[in-house]
Every structure is written in structure tokens, then in C-alpha cells.
Amino acid sequence: MTRLTEKELAAVRKRSEWAAKIGVIYIASSLSLEKEWHMALPDDVSFHVARISIDGDSAEKEDIWNMVNSNAVEKLAKQLASCEVDVIVFACTAGSFLGGPGWDEKLAKRISDAAGGIPATTTSSGLLQALQCTGCKKINMATPYEDAVNVEEKKFVEAKGVTVENLIGEQCALDTEIVRVSPARFAESVLEMYDKSPDVDGTFISCTNSRTIEIIDVLEKKLGIPILSSNQVSLFAALRKIGYQGEIRGYGSLFNYL
């Protein structure tokens, strides 16, 4: 009988290694996270998405708040628990900071409790961890949001002792508008703010529907400071939560801190 050789079997075993399964609660109308994570993740990590809807695909403060306070959060956490994921991340930046300091931790606990104790984290938790790991104390921030959301995000970050020196928001009222903001446009905002304040020690590009993976490494090389983004810090937080030690390339220097 024809059999696989030891070399072939070793290759199969290597490709079969499964180091981590990440559950993601993600906005129904959003697109960017899946594209970026597929580009960044090695073969031994998979992610599994459960979708949560915002009324009218809105990016406005009240609608996001209603979404994150609905029982859909718990329902989706239970769905992801059925996949036996290792960790669950609530991948919505605004939804995880609108309740103010500590809201991200309360949200993660809700999810973990509903999922039977599976560890959970959020985008905003990932941002705070990333700022701490990189030592950023004064940052610029580029967002797709309207000013009502920008004000809350600035307050959330500054409550942790980090100064937001400059902020440019694209004033998107709909989540479906956010994905149409090009990576090049975000790069322009980052560079414009850096020209105003070259003494900042980092920049954050907000929202998990913002497209950023194409510009993070380019901007870090150009400016010499950490460039953080919502999808990037969400992945960082999830992998850090479960102690993943693998290598993530092409998604910024943040992953040197895994």
C-alpha cells in the first residue's frame, strides 16, 4: 500500500498545528478586521466571527451605546463558546469605551460570564495595553468618527494619563462610510498631525472598520514612533490574553511585545 513518507507526515503535522482559536464579536456592517487579520495571522491561529448589528448601520454615539447594552452581546458570546474558542474579543472601539474608564473591563466580564468563563477582552482594553507596552504618553489620534464620539474617546484615553495632542475625525455617520476612508487618507492625517507635534511618542488610528494594515509599517519607518490601530490592538490583546508566543509580521512593532 502506498503511504505518506515521514517527511510528508511531518509536513502535514506542521500545517495541522493549531495554537489558538480567537472568537470575535464584530459589527455586522464592518469589513476591515477579517481582511487585515487574514493578512497578518500565521497558519496556527484561526478566528471565528459572530456579528452584532447596530440600528441603521449607524456610527453615531447613541446607536452604538444601544447596541453594546443589548442582550445580543451575551447571545453571541454563547455562540462563540460553542466553537470552543480560547479567547473572545469584542472588536468595536467605540462600543468598548463609551461607558468611560473601566467600561471595557465590565464589558469583557459580561462576555466571559456569558461564555462560561472563556477569557475575554475588548478593543479599548487592547489600546490601553498597547499604550502601556510601548510607553506612549503623548499621542495623536486619527478616527473616522463624528465629534460626539471623538470627545468620549479622548476622555477615555486621557483618564489613563495619556495626552491626546491632536485628533482628526472624518465625521462618518455610518459604519458603511468608515470602510470607504482609504488607508492613504488616514496616513495623510497621521502625517499632518505629526508635522504639528513631532514630539509625540505614538499615534492611534481608531475603529475596527478602519483600513490600516497597509500603512502601519510604512508610517513607523517614516516617523520612528509606534503606529497603533484598532484591529491591530484587538488582535494583540486577544493573543496576549492567552499567552501566544508566535510571530506576527507586517502589522507594526507592537507585536514585539507579545
Side-chain angles (χ1 to χ4, degrees):
M1 185 194 318
T2 304
R3 298 177 182 275
L4 294 177
T5 66
E6 285 302 316
K7 184 177 180 180
E8 289 166 338
L9 282 170
V12 169
R13 283 193 291 267
K14 182 171 179 56
R15 292 204 68 188
S16 299
E17 290 175 357
W18 205 341
K21 301 188 293 293
I22 304 172
V24 185
I25 299 177
Y26 192 41
I27 308 304
S29 52
S30 292
L31 299 170
S32 295
L33 179 145
E34 289 143 315
K35 183 175 187 293
E36 294 199 359
W37 284 22
H38 278 302
M39 293 170 71
L41 280 170
D43 291 341
D44 65 349
V45 180
S46 63
F47 65 95
H48 311 273
V49 179
R51 296 280 186 165
I52 188 167
S53 295
I54 302 178
D55 189 35
D57 298 331
S58 172
E60 296 186 357
K61 177 180 174 181
E62 181 179 357
D63 296 313
I64 297 171
W65 185 243
N66 290 339
M67 174 271 295
V68 78
N69 280 289
S70 72
N71 62 7
V73 172
E74 283 79 7
K75 288 181 179 179
L76 295 177
K78 290 176 182 177
Q79 285 184 15
L80 290 168
S82 295
C83 299
E84 298 184 340
V85 293
D86 301 299
V87 62
I88 298 173
V89 56
F90 185 83
C92 173
T93 319
S96 55
F97 69 65
L98 280 177
W103 171 249
D104 57 314
E105 296 173 356
K106 292 176 183 176
L107 180 58
K109 186 177 186 306
R110 277 175 60 195
I111 292 167
S112 181
D113 288 349
I118 292 172
T121 187
T122 75
T123 302
S124 292
S125 303
L127 171 59
L128 297 180
Q129 290 173 10
L131 292 171
Q132 183 177 35
C133 287
T134 56
C136 292
K137 292 295 185 183
K138 182 162 68 170
I139 66 169
N140 290 326
M141 189 179 293
T143 91
Y145 307 130
E146 295 181 322
D147 287 339
V149 179
N150 289 328
V151 168
E152 298 298 330
E153 183 162 29
K154 186 173 185 289
K155 283 166 53 180
F156 179 85
V157 171
E158 292 194 329
K160 293 295 182 178
V162 176
T163 300
V164 178
E165 190 74 4
N166 302 287
L167 190 154
I168 294 177
E170 295 297 322
Q171 307 303 314
C172 295
L174 296 174
D175 187 49
T176 48
E177 294 173 352
I178 293 172
V179 76
R180 292 195 281 271
V181 179
S182 71
R185 171 57 192 153
F186 280 123
E188 288 171 5
S189 294
V190 170
L191 295 172
E192 178 184 335
M193 290 186 289
Y194 185 83
D195 284 343
K196 290 180 182 177
S197 305
D199 59 336
V200 295
D201 45 24
T203 293
F204 176 55
I205 306 171
S206 191
C207 186
T208 55
N209 206 19
S210 295
R211 293 183 290 149
T212 61
I213 193 172
E214 302 89 344
I215 59 173
I216 290 174
D217 281 353
V218 173
L219 290 172
E220 286 196 340
K221 288 175 184 175
K222 191 173 185 70
L223 302 181
I225 58 174
I227 305 296
L228 308 174
S229 78
S230 287
N231 286 327
Q232 175 213 48
V233 301
S234 298
L235 180 57
F236 177 76
L239 293 175
R240 192 174 170 88
K241 194 81 172 176
I242 55 177
Y244 180 76
Q245 297 290 310
E247 187 174 11
I248 307 295
R249 297 180 179 178
Y251 218 0
S253 58
L254 175 64
F255 288 96
N256 295 336
Y257 297 94
L258 278 180

